[in-house]
Amino acid sequence: MSNSRRRAVLRCVTAFAFGALVLTGCGGGEDDSAAPETSTTPAPSDDGSASSDAAGGDQDPDDTTEDDAAQDDTSESGSESGSGADDTSGSDDTAPWAGTKQFVQIEDSWTSEGQTYLSVRPAQKEALTEPHEAWVVVPSEGPYTTVPVADDAVVMLSVPLGDASQAASYSQDEFVSRLTAQPASARPGLGYDLSFDGAGQVTRLESLYMS
């Protein structure tokens, strides 16, 4: 082969190799640029905030339910405790005169299951000197209240419930029978001094002497 022809063949081979190299390089660049980019930023929702799935997607639904139940229990407890600030003692109804002494009228008396009860309401007494010394009971117009009598209460009676002007001791049963023997119309005219203990039970009853 002549030298001129050998050089022509060499140039063709060289040109072919260079072209293949260029094509290979260009192809790799296109593949790299075409690769999609992966974003780690969550897409915003309609209101501009990030998706809640991205923020709390790993949370256990059972944990959320337990938290909600605990909050409900706390709210109910607070309501009950709140509501607990409006509670009032019933002592005014069950023992209105606990620890005091009262002058009263007694409308009725009875025994139930071994305990004596009185139906009473507060009254006043006035002393008279003319034509002779005596007490006058000034009735009130309020309602009667039932009070219990202590088992060991002292009962002192004088005329008209007792047998003498001087007060003497009687049993509770005797007092009940003597009071209920009086006409209902006469009972408001009788007066009694009562002493109450801290539980509101009558510990001493003494009738007012009236001739």
Side-chain angles (χ1 to χ4, degrees), residues 73-182:
D73 292 342
T74 302
S75 299
E76 292 176 1
S77 175
S79 299
E80 291 175 359
S81 64
S83 63
D86 295 333
D87 290 344
T88 58
S89 172
S91 60
D92 290 342
D93 295 331
T94 59
W97 299 297
T100 67
K101 294 182 178 181
Q102 300 288 328
F103 182 75
V104 302
Q105 299 169 262
I106 299 179
E107 177 191 38
D108 197 8
S109 180
W110 65 94
T111 300
S112 177
E113 297 183 355
Q115 185 164 30
T116 303
Y117 293 89
L118 309 175
S119 178
V120 307
R121 70 180 179 186
Q124 294 181 351
K125 58 184 176 180
E126 294 180 355
L128 295 180
T129 58
E130 297 294 340
H132 53 78
E133 293 184 358
W135 288 103
V136 175
V137 177
V138 181
S140 67
E141 297 181 355
Y144 284 91
T145 301
T146 299
V147 294
V149 180
D151 292 340
D152 57 351
V154 175
V155 177
M156 304 293 290
L157 303 179
S158 57
V159 173
L161 292 181
D163 296 326
S165 58
Q166 193 92 17
S169 177
Y170 290 81
S171 69
Q172 295 184 27
D173 289 340
E174 288 178 312
F175 166 73
V176 172
S177 63
R178 287 175 180 246
L179 176 68
T180 54
Q182 294 287 322

Side-chain angles (χ1 to χ4, degrees), residues 4-85:
S4 60
R5 188 173 181 179
R6 189 181 296 115
R7 284 194 296 271
V9 172
L10 181 60
R11 282 195 299 268
C12 289
V13 172
T14 301
F16 178 81
F18 180 78
L21 180 61
V22 171
L23 290 175
T24 302
C26 293
E30 289 176 359
D31 291 341
D32 293 340
S33 61
E37 295 182 358
T38 302
S39 174
T40 59
T41 303
S45 61
D46 293 339
D47 59 356
S49 60
S51 172
S52 59
D53 292 340
D58 295 334
Q59 186 173 2
D60 189 347
D62 292 338
D63 293 342
T64 303
T65 303
E66 292 176 0
D67 291 342
D68 292 341
Q71 291 176 358
D72 291 341
D73 292 342
T74 302
S75 299
E76 292 176 1
S77 175
S79 299
E80 291 175 359
S81 64
S83 63

